[in-house]
């Protein structure tokens, strides 16, 4: 079992959860045609053998597959989860009896940010942009996370939003 925490995630320029998890040994990243990480494979097994959970609950999403592929399966596309909204990623490479079934190669649990992770009032923002040489366009990316807890830490609110407008062109 290995974990990556928010401090470690923030040190790298990863754009999504798949790219953050790829930094752990034994995990391979499957990239989309634009080069962004999309799915992960643990210990060399296919991506459909990896179980993805969010705060311990299974995510049930049917993937449309990568562009140009014939396979449409039950993989979870991790490119839709921005790193800014998560505080911890736990990867279990060997199943144990206490885990729910389904992850033959391993299980990834994503823990979302919570207001009591940082008591008090906090606002975090991030703005990025990437420039494509072929299409000569800028793809903006941004996120905003705000949290508040009362003085005696009995009530808290956290709101987060992230957005990206990818503009890509492929020639061939």
């Amino acid at each position: 079992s290995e974990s990556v925490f928010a401090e470690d995630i923030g040190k790298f320029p990863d754009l999504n959860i798949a790219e953050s998890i790829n930094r752990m040994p034994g995990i391979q990243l499957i990239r989309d045609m634009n080069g962004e990480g999309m799915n992960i494979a643990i210990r060399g097994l296919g991506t459909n053998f990896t179980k993805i959970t969010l705060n311990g609950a299974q995510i049930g999403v049917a993937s449309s597959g990568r562009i140009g592929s014939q396979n449409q399966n039950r993989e979870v596309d991790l490119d839709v989860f921005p790193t800014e909204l998560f505080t911890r990623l736990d990867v279990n490479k060997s199943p144990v009896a206490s885990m729910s079934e389904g992850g033959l190669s391993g299980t990834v649990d994503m823990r979302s940010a919570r207001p009591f992770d940082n008591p008090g009032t906090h606002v975090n923002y991030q703005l990025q942009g990437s420039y494509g040489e072929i299409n000569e366009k800028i793809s903006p990316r941004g996120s905003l996370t705000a949290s508040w807890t009362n003085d005696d830490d009995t009530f808290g609110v956290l709101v987060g939003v992230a957005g990206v407008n990818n503009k890509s062109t492929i020639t061939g």
Side-chain angles (χ1 to χ4, degrees):
S1 177
E2 296 185 46
S3 297
V4 177
F5 294 92
E7 296 83 27
D8 298 327
I9 294 171
K11 291 177 184 176
F12 301 111
D14 301 329
L15 300 178
N16 62 46
I17 293 296
E19 294 179 0
S20 296
I21 296 172
N22 183 48
R23 297 186 181 279
M24 294 182 190
I27 296 178
Q28 296 81 36
L29 183 64
I30 310 301
R31 295 190 180 274
D32 197 3
M33 63 178 209
N34 62 2
E36 189 172 352
M38 187 171 189
N39 303 106
I40 59 165
I42 299 175
R43 296 185 183 230
L45 289 174
T47 56
N48 53 345
F49 291 106
T50 302
K51 182 174 186 173
I52 309 293
T53 59
L54 176 62
N55 296 325
Q58 184 173 349
I59 300 174
V61 177
S63 171
S64 60
R66 294 178 295 280
I67 293 177
S69 71
Q70 300 296 322
N71 299 336
Q72 294 184 355
N73 52 37
R74 298 185 189 273
E75 299 172 342
V76 176
D77 293 340
L78 295 173
D79 59 340
V80 299
F81 296 104
T83 58
E84 298 86 9
L85 303 181
F86 294 92
T87 58
R88 186 169 141 184
L89 306 170
D90 295 322
V91 177
N92 295 303
K93 297 177 186 175
S94 299
V96 295
S98 62
M99 294 177 169
S100 56
E101 54 131 4
L104 185 61
S105 68
T107 302
V108 176
D109 185 38
M110 304 181 298
R111 185 178 181 272
S112 60
R114 298 175 183 172
F116 295 106
D117 291 340
N118 292 315
T121 303
H122 298 279
V123 177
N124 297 318
Y125 66 93
Q126 181 179 13
L127 297 172
Q128 292 178 326
S130 61
Y131 178 75
E133 291 182 9
I134 295 175
N135 62 5
E136 297 178 348
K137 293 183 180 176
I138 295 175
S139 297
R141 173 184 209 91
S143 68
L144 175 70
T145 306
S147 66
W148 171 84
T149 58
N150 62 356
D151 292 333
D152 56 355
D153 289 336
T154 57
F155 182 75
V157 177
L158 184 134
V159 177
V161 63
V164 63
N165 185 3
N166 282 334
K167 300 171 186 169
S168 61
T169 301
I170 297 175
T171 59

